[in-house]
Amino acid sequence: MSAPKKRIAYFYHDEVGNFYYGAGHPMKPHRIRMAHSLILNYGLYKQMEIYRPLLVEDETMTMFHSDDYVHFLQSVTPDNFNDYNRELQRYNMDVDCPVFDGLFKFCQLYTGGSMGGARKLNQGNADICINWAGGLHHAKKSEASGFCYINDIVLAILELLTYHQRVLYIDIDIHHGDGVEEAFYNTDRVMTASFHKYGEYFPGTGGVKDIGVNSGKKYSVNFPLMDGIDDQSYQSIFKPIMKKIMETFQPGAVVLQCGADSLAGDRLGCFNLSLKGHAACVEFMKSFNVPLLVLGGGGYTVRNVARCWANETGVLLDKKLSEEIPYNEYYEYYGPDFNLHITPSNMENHNTKKYMEDTKIELFECLNSLPKPSVQIKQTPHRIDLESKIMDSKESNPDVRITQEMADKMVTDSREFYEDEKDQDKETTKVPMQIST
């Protein structure tokens, strides 16, 4: 008998592609709109529930971030940033993390998709949730970092911890997932696993001996990699390590950050993965049948980012996409061949078999010494409260309240991709359980 078809919720807001970091900046939110266009034109939307994320309020962001930092993000604009010289330095707002028009709303949108996905998983209304706008893994409690301002991943994990005793975070971005690791470095309720370029490379953290502290000791797993890793080498470490982690940690939910800068030919990257090699990680984690939140992340060759995330949406839906890219509003980006898949280069793989095997053995030894997990605690999933924590304050009517059943009806009809203005009702989340960070 075949396994039941997975229920997949997809979060996308039509405004997310409008934001612009500035001339010459490698981070292009436009790539999310390009990926969405491919998802539509491949017909993948027909097999998913499509949700428009609501805007996360500042109060929700302070479940992880400091009050003064969130207030600063709310207040600073390109017109007044000269009045905030001391704060700009304090919060690491510089060339990498510029002040741009609509900055705070951008943070509200991408975080809303990730927290909305976590909530859907907690409620049991989906098996897999996708938010390609999320995955901004470098943001810290009180500072921006690496193009990231609000750490939607940490907030989504805190939401998952209100229902699940243990949550696993996996990062296949080329950069170390330092912001998420740091947030949960001293707890055994969240395990982080990151496969990343290490050495003279941003952010410079994530050595194999960085394993956590106090209660979190051995719950941070880092596999430092060198230039040129290819599909075969990557899978030779990813699959056995993740299989071991799933066996030993036994998470109740998994968050997978799918940064596409680990692909061959990325503008800022130095790995040599194909779309198939990258997607193999997604397919492998899906096979464990654990509630799964799939997020975006890095990726700076925008045509390949769109290819990657559209293809991985297909993988999650068990749908093989045609090699010929369907006509869409960004069709010219994919020339001259207009094919879905990319060809890795002939760059040298500096990750020797001995290095890979030695590092894998060291990580296995650490994982083998983990205590056996306690029985998974089953809690009653909390319901969204009636007072708003996630809302669009300008578009919402503060006197209108919605029930959970009404919120669930916000899924878009297959003939439409966005809700009407009248659907911008308020929604709230219960404050997640705080953990020591």
Side-chain angles (χ1 to χ4, degrees):
M1 191 172 81
S2 60
K5 191 173 182 179
K6 294 188 183 299
R7 300 163 301 157
I8 299 183
Y10 170 80
F11 288 79
Y12 176 76
H13 197 292
D14 54 316
E15 292 184 28
V16 75
N18 295 342
F19 299 97
Y20 183 56
Y21 275 60
H25 198 289
M27 176 63 105
K28 312 285 187 187
H30 178 63
R31 67 204 175 127
I32 304 158
R33 180 176 285 160
M34 289 176 61
H36 181 68
S37 182
L38 285 182
I39 288 166
L40 295 184
N41 285 281
Y42 269 115
L44 299 175
Y45 70 93
K46 298 175 184 177
Q47 301 175 48
M48 302 186 288
E49 291 186 338
I50 303 178
Y51 292 89
R52 186 184 192 191
L54 301 179
L55 303 187
V56 174
E57 270 194 344
D58 56 335
E59 184 181 347
T60 302
M61 293 177 179
T62 60
M63 293 172 187
F64 170 61
H65 294 283
S66 64
D67 293 4
D68 54 353
Y69 173 58
V70 172
H71 178 69
F72 166 74
L73 291 178
Q74 277 185 296
S75 305
V76 70
T77 70
D79 295 328
N80 68 14
F81 76 95
N82 286 325
D83 299 332
Y84 290 92
N85 286 328
R86 186 170 65 177
E87 289 86 352
L88 289 169
Q89 186 173 3
R90 176 183 177 188
Y91 300 126
N92 198 35
M93 301 282 281
D94 54 12
V95 176
D96 278 356
C97 300
V99 176
F100 57 84
D101 282 329
L103 168 60
F104 190 68
K105 186 173 184 181
F106 176 60
C107 296
Q108 289 179 296
L109 288 180
Y110 74 72
T111 304
S114 299
M115 293 195 73
R119 198 169 298 115
K120 280 285 172 194
L121 295 176
N122 280 355
Q123 294 163 350
N125 292 334
D127 303 306
I128 298 171
C129 292
I130 303 169
N131 177 34
W132 295 126
L136 278 71
H137 57 173
H138 294 307
K140 308 298 196 302
K141 182 180 180 67
S142 298
E143 69 176 46
S145 178
F147 318 156
C148 307
Y149 301 88
I150 293 295
N151 200 314
D152 62 293
I153 305 171
V154 171
L155 290 167
I157 290 173
L158 288 172
E159 176 68 24
L160 290 169
L161 287 171
T162 65
Y163 182 68
H164 299 283
Q165 179 68 11
R166 292 178 297 279
V167 175
L168 170 64
Y169 171 68
I170 309 162
D171 195 312
I172 60 172
D173 194 292
I174 194 172
H175 300 95
H176 178 231
D178 58 333
V180 184
E181 179 184 274
E182 181 180 300
F184 300 108
Y185 206 57
N186 64 351
T187 178
D188 59 1
R189 291 192 59 196
V190 178
M191 178 173 279
T192 61
S194 183
F195 301 78
H196 51 270
K197 161 73 175 172
Y198 186 68
E200 295 181 2
Y201 198 74
F202 183 85
T205 53
V208 70
K209 296 191 183 301
D210 296 332
I211 60 172
V213 295
N214 302 327
S215 298
K217 190 173 183 180
K218 301 183 181 178
Y219 288 88
S220 292
V221 178
N222 287 294
F223 203 118
L225 296 164
M226 290 168 271
D227 292 6
I229 191 164
D230 55 26
D231 292 355
Q232 184 178 1
S233 297
Y234 202 94
Q235 293 308 312
S236 74
I237 57 167
F238 183 85
K239 289 184 176 178
I241 288 172
M242 294 319 305
K243 183 174 184 290
K244 183 67 175 177
I245 287 175
M246 293 299 287
E247 290 172 352
T248 56
F249 187 59
Q250 297 176 22
V254 173
V255 179
L256 176 59
Q257 196 266 22
C258 300
D261 47 7
S262 45
L263 292 173
D266 187 79
R267 180 177 170 185
L268 299 184
C270 54
F271 284 179
N272 201 24
L273 299 182
S274 71
L275 257 64
K276 292 179 181 177
H278 198 272
C281 300
V282 178
E283 188 165 23
F284 188 67
M285 295 316 303
K286 176 192 165 199
S287 71
F288 289 96
N289 297 315
V290 172
L292 180 63
L293 177 61
V294 179
L295 306 174
Y300 307 101
T301 301
V302 293
R303 62 185 181 275
N304 291 344
V305 176
R307 284 176 162 118
C308 178
W309 292 344
N311 181 60
E312 288 171 4
T313 304
V315 166
L316 293 166
L317 289 166
D318 292 320
K319 182 170 181 178
K320 183 176 175 59
L321 305 188
S322 65
E323 179 62 10
E324 183 179 345
I325 286 179
Y327 185 77
N328 64 88
E329 56 190 314
Y330 307 109
Y331 190 67
E332 69 277 6
Y333 280 73
Y334 305 104
D337 57 12
F338 303 99
N339 289 334
L340 175 64
H341 288 277
I342 61 174
T343 303
S345 72
N346 60 356
M347 71 184 297
E348 181 183 355
N349 183 357
H350 291 273
N351 300 274
T352 64
K353 287 185 178 179
K354 183 179 187 308
Y355 170 74
M356 303 281 274
E357 192 62 29
D358 288 349
T359 306
K360 184 167 65 174
I361 289 171
E362 184 172 351
L363 292 177
F364 265 58
E365 289 174 351
C366 186
L367 291 169
N368 283 332
S369 64
L370 282 177
K372 187 175 180 180
S374 57
V375 176
Q376 180 75 35
I377 297 176
K378 291 292 184 182
Q379 300 175 3
T380 303
H382 66 261
R383 298 172 65 85
I384 296 175
D385 299 329
L386 295 177
E387 292 183 2
S388 178
K389 295 289 185 202
I390 294 189
M391 60 175 283
D392 185 336
S393 58
K394 291 183 179 179
E395 296 178 355
S396 296
N397 180 346
D399 296 321
V400 176
R401 297 183 176 183
I402 60 173
T403 65
Q404 181 58 55
E405 290 71 26
M406 291 169 65
D408 286 342
K409 288 179 182 178
M410 292 176 72
V411 60
T412 305
D413 186 275
S414 62
R415 296 163 295 182
E416 302 174 3
F417 306 127
Y418 320 110
E419 287 131 20
D420 301 313
E421 293 298 315
K422 65 184 179 182
D423 289 327
Q424 303 290 324
D425 290 329
K426 293 185 170 183
E427 186 180 354
T428 325
T429 170
K430 200 175 192 178
V431 177
M433 176 173 51
Q434 294 285 356
I435 63 170
S436 175
T437 59

